[in-house]
Amino acid sequence: LKAATVTGAAIAAGTVSGVVNTEAAAQSVGKSGTLCMKSVVAQPSLFFYPGEELAADEIRVSVMGSGWGSVVRRRQAACSLFIELGNGDSFVWDLGMGSLINYNTMQVPYSRMDKVFLTHLHAVHTTDVIPLYCFGPAGGDRFKPLRIWGPSGDRPELGVKYMMETGLKAYTNWHTTSFRTVVPGSSPTTGAYGIDVTELDYRKSGGIAYRKNGVTIKHWPALHTIDGAIGYRLEWRGMSVVWSGDTNPSHIFVENNKQGADLMFHETAPIPDRVVASGVPKELANAVVNSSHTRARALGKIFALTKPNLGVTIHCPADPQEVSTYLDEVRIHWKGPYQLVANDLMVFN
C-alpha cells in the first residue's frame, strides 16, 4: 500500500521515482501529467491473444468457455469454442454467459466473430450473443449483419429465428435505436444491426449447416430436454472438429462421427451428488443429469465407438474433486488420447 501511494504520487507529478516498478509507471507520461492514451489501450502483458499466424493447412480451437450450467466463475465461463482456419475463416460455436469476456481479453476482433453457430437455445449457450450484437458495431469493427446459425423447434417460437429476429431485436431495441444515431450504416435490416439467421432443421441427421471456402459444417439431432438441440462437425482439408452440444449418450452422435475426428469436444456431466452439494434438490439433480446430459462412463463408450484422435471433456465443473471421477469413469471404456478441459483459454492447434 505504501509503494502504491508513492507510485500514485510519482505519476501525478509527471515523474517516475526509482521505487516505482509497476507497469502503470512504465507507461509514457504526457506533459500534462496524464498517461498517453496509446499506452493505456495497448498493455500487452494484460492480454493473451491467439494471434500467432496459422499455417495454410492449420486449425486452431480456443476454449472461450468450458463451464457447466449455472456454475460460471472466473476460471470457467459458460460454453463457447472459437475455431480459426488457416484460410482466414473463423467460427464461434455457442456463446454462453461470460464467454465474451474471454474473447475480449484475447483481443479477438468483433469482425472475426460474425459467424455464430448455436447448438441449442438454453441461456448458458446463448446469453453473450446479446453484447456481441450490441457492441459489434458500437465498440468493435463489425459493420455488417451478425450471422447466426441454430436449430429449429417444434413450433416457430421455439426456433433460433424467432429468438433472434423477434426476441433479441425486441430486447435490444432501445440500445440499437440509440446507437443508430451515431454508428454509420447501422440499419436494423442490412447494416450493422441487422441479423442474418439460418435456421437448421433439428430433425435432420447429417444435415449441411455451412459449405463455403472448402469448409463443411454438418449437424445432427441431439437428445437434450426437449426437441430442438443439435451438434456440429467441421471438416476442412482432411481435418475435423466436433462439438456435441448438450446431449444424452446418443447413437445418432456415433453414427454421424463413426469416422472419428481430430478433435472431439463432448459435454460431460458431473455426478448428481456434486450437483446436490451445490444446493440443488436430489430429485432435480438426478433429472437434470440423467435426462439430458452424458455421464463420464458413457462418454468413454462414445469415444470407444468413434475413436477420435483426441477426445475432450468440456461443459463440466472442473473442480479438483471432479477430475479423478472424469478420468476414472472415461477410462473404463476408452484408453485412447483424452483431455480434460480444466479451465478456459486452453488452445488446441
Side-chain angles (χ1 to χ4, degrees):
L1 289 174
K2 182 177 180 181
T5 303
V6 173
T7 300
I11 293 175
T15 60
V16 179
S17 165
V19 301
V20 176
N21 190 30
T22 67
E23 182 167 341
Q27 307 281 350
S28 57
V29 180
K31 291 182 179 179
S32 66
T34 59
L35 292 175
C36 295
M37 190 61 187
K38 183 178 179 181
S39 64
V40 172
V41 172
Q43 298 186 55
S45 67
L46 298 182
F47 303 103
F48 172 71
Y49 172 52
E52 177 190 4
E53 187 174 346
L54 288 174
D57 60 349
E58 188 176 4
I59 296 177
R60 174 168 58 222
V61 182
S62 301
V63 178
M64 300 299 206
S66 60
W68 159 267
S70 61
V71 185
V72 177
R73 50 269 182 100
R74 290 184 184 273
R75 288 181 62 239
Q76 287 192 286
C79 269
S80 189
L81 294 173
F82 184 49
I83 303 175
E84 299 170 274
L85 309 183
N87 67 358
D89 278 340
S90 55
F91 305 89
V92 173
W93 282 5
D94 283 337
L95 198 62
M97 49 203 179
S99 60
L100 194 64
I101 295 173
N102 286 329
Y103 284 90
N104 289 336
T105 298
M106 294 171 80
Q107 295 184 328
V108 178
Y110 279 80
S111 59
R112 299 293 308 278
M113 301 172 62
D114 73 326
K115 295 190 289 294
V116 179
F117 288 74
L118 302 175
T119 57
H120 63 292
L121 307 185
H122 273 150
V124 73
H125 293 256
T126 63
T127 304
D128 277 14
V129 171
I130 297 171
L132 174 64
Y133 173 66
C134 287
F135 292 104
D141 61 345
R142 178 185 58 76
F143 300 106
K144 296 180 180 179
L146 180 62
R147 291 177 284 176
I148 297 177
W149 287 256
S152 62
D154 281 339
R155 302 188 301 276
E157 63 268 29
L158 293 177
V160 69
K161 203 170 186 69
Y162 177 88
M163 180 186 197
M164 296 301 162
E165 293 182 351
T166 302
L168 178 63
K169 283 196 170 184
Y171 185 87
T172 61
N173 187 45
W174 196 94
H175 177 100
T176 57
T177 299
S178 68
F179 271 105
R180 281 200 299 273
T181 64
V182 293
V183 177
S186 55
S187 162
T189 54
T190 60
Y193 282 124
I195 304 176
D196 182 2
V197 180
T198 301
E199 188 165 277
L200 308 169
D201 186 348
Y202 78 87
R203 300 166 297 180
K204 194 165 187 177
S205 183
I208 303 298
Y210 180 93
R211 182 172 279 162
K212 190 175 181 181
N213 296 334
V215 181
T216 299
I217 298 179
K218 301 177 180 178
H219 66 94
W220 57 86
L223 309 180
H224 184 59
T225 58
I226 61 174
D227 288 336
I230 59 178
Y232 290 115
R233 177 186 180 93
L234 180 146
E235 297 175 345
W236 179 67
R237 294 184 66 113
M239 295 176 286
S240 54
V241 178
V242 171
W243 167 218
S244 68
D246 285 5
T247 183
N248 264 151
S250 168
H251 287 290
I252 303 172
F253 177 91
V254 172
E255 182 63 26
N256 280 274
N257 296 285
K258 58 187 177 184
Q259 67 272 52
D262 290 292
L263 271 174
M264 183 174 287
F265 292 91
H266 201 292
E267 68 115 281
T268 313
I271 59 174
D273 284 349
R274 190 259 184 253
V275 182
V276 172
S278 65
V280 177
K282 186 173 183 178
E283 294 77 8
L284 177 58
N286 281 315
V288 167
V289 171
N290 296 325
S291 71
S292 52
H293 292 283
T294 298
R295 300 277 290 272
R297 184 176 302 199
L299 177 58
K301 183 67 173 179
I302 289 170
F303 286 160
L305 293 172
T306 56
K307 296 179 172 57
N309 288 346
L310 180 62
V312 185
T313 272
I314 193 175
H315 193 26
C316 58
D319 297 321
Q321 60 266 39
E322 261 94 49
V323 172
S324 60
T325 300
Y326 294 135
L327 292 173
D328 293 345
E329 293 288 304
V330 166
R331 287 302 186 208
I332 291 173
H333 295 294
W334 174 243
K335 310 298 183 185
Y338 171 58
Q339 174 65 50
L340 171 64
V341 174
N343 54 277
D344 297 356
L345 306 185
M346 184 176 285
V347 178
F348 298 81
N349 282 22

